[in-house]
Amino acid sequence: MPAKLSVNLNAIAMLRNRRDLPWPSVTGLGQIALEAGASGLTVHPRPDQRHIRFSDLAPIRSLIDDLYPQTEFNMEGFPNDEFLDLVERHQPEQVTLVPDDPAQATSDHGWDFRLNHNLLGNVVGRLKKNGFRVSLFADGDPDVEALTIAKETGADRIELYTGPYGGCYDDPERGEILLEALGQTADIARTLGLEVNAGHDLTVANLPALAARIPHLAEVSIGHGLTADALEYGMAETVRRFCRACGQDI
Ligand SMILES: CC(=O)[C@@H](O)[C@H](O)COP(=O)(O)O
Ligand SMILES: NCC(=O)COP(=O)(O)O
């Protein structure tokens, strides 16, 4: 089963926020993406609302509920009270917990599961009790003990942080090494009963090798590289290109 594509709207929101104007429309581009074949929309409402604003969340939820009920809403964020309140209010199908400090420029590492097993156990338990699918951001590090702790939190999935792999666009040898670490991490996760998502700096160029190495990859969430391509090919054609890069027959 090819990986599903969830389009991250952060970069669209960042462009919109340059002016006090409603375009480019986050929901408008999201609708084009879903119409073109994306399986869902992803947002990361950071505390400073640098791109996705809390006011964006209800319109995205409504877009999916009203027009594309077979698709999913994925909300990413650090599990502070503010984020968890947003999750409760907007009821995404998936919650992806990331260990981001508010000052971080972007998500640049996965969880330290040993250090955070109490925090994650409590938060995941609360989210699972309320019916959410929970994914935990994880480095490409085949650490059986750490991944076992991730499983023991009650999470459904890990999301492989693919930033270093994406950054190797000009260093194929290092890319191969990082890809294998991601693949071994995914293999261990599967053995433990965790499903596997992936995201960060994925592109049409680097996605096919990831999908081939991780045939059980459930979902990729992609924003920066996809938005860059959308400036060149348009959103609809870009979504189709990324779906094909996932191995989908679209
Ligand atoms: C978790 C992850 O890798 C990305 O989805 C992250 O949300 C990107 O955040 P920015 O778009 O703020 O860089
Ligand atoms: N979880 C990764 C994501 O949603 C988008 O990351 P990127 O493609 O913007 O780097």
Side-chain angles (χ1 to χ4, degrees):
M1 184 76 165
K4 295 182 177 180
L5 172 66
S6 184
V7 172
N8 184 306
L9 297 171
N10 293 357
I12 302 292
M14 183 75 88
L15 186 57
R16 180 215 41 209
N17 293 356
R18 291 184 71 246
R19 298 281 168 80
D20 186 18
L21 293 168
W23 60 83
S25 165
V26 168
T27 49
L29 273 300
Q31 182 169 353
I32 294 169
L34 295 176
E35 191 65 32
S39 299
L41 299 175
T42 290
V43 295
H44 190 150
R46 292 185 180 273
D48 61 10
Q49 302 187 67
R50 66 188 72 163
H51 39 54
I52 291 292
R53 294 168 175 155
F54 299 168
S55 58
D56 290 319
L57 301 175
I60 294 168
R61 179 73 271 173
S62 297
L63 169 67
I64 289 174
D65 289 345
D66 298 347
L67 298 179
Y68 303 94
Q70 76 286 4
T71 67
E72 293 195 343
F73 190 17
N74 174 38
M75 281 177 59
E76 300 180 328
F78 180 84
N80 60 21
D81 289 344
E82 183 179 70
F83 175 73
L84 294 173
D85 288 345
L86 291 172
V87 165
E88 297 290 341
R89 202 178 322 153
H90 301 289
Q91 293 289 305
E93 280 71 26
Q94 179 173 267
V95 182
T96 301
L97 301 179
V98 298
D100 288 14
D101 180 281
Q104 270 179 232
T106 186
S107 304
D108 58 16
H109 62 279
W111 287 98
D112 180 328
F113 292 114
R114 292 178 178 85
L115 197 63
N116 293 286
H117 71 283
N118 284 332
L119 165 69
L120 291 171
N122 292 333
V123 169
V124 173
R126 167 177 165 184
L127 291 167
K128 291 304 297 172
K129 191 168 68 177
N130 290 318
F132 296 101
R133 182 197 313 137
V134 180
S135 180
L136 301 178
F137 208 44
D139 292 316
D141 176 9
D143 181 335
V144 176
E145 184 185 73
L147 292 165
T148 301
I149 294 169
K151 174 65 178 176
E152 287 169 351
T153 69
D156 303 281
R157 300 189 180 182
I158 59 167
E159 173 176 337
L160 292 169
Y161 167 51
T162 52
Y165 170 63
C168 286
Y169 56 90
D170 59 354
D171 184 350
E173 279 186 28
R174 176 143 179 77
E176 283 291 323
I177 294 167
L178 293 173
L179 175 61
E180 183 52 25
L182 289 164
Q184 290 179 18
T185 305
D187 292 343
I188 294 167
R190 188 185 193 197
T191 303
L192 291 168
L194 286 164
E195 294 181 285
V196 180
N197 292 348
H200 209 96
D201 288 338
L202 292 175
T203 65
V204 164
N206 63 33
L207 194 43
L210 184 76
R213 175 61 183 83
I214 308 173
H216 55 286
L217 187 59
E219 176 184 283
V220 289
S221 45
I222 306 175
H224 188 78
L226 187 146
T227 304
D229 280 9
L231 294 174
E232 188 171 348
Y233 301 102
M235 178 61 84
E237 177 55 21
T238 295
V239 165
R240 288 188 288 269
R241 294 175 82 243
F242 272 84
C243 285
R244 288 193 286 266
C246 290
Q248 294 180 31
D249 182 13
I250 190 171

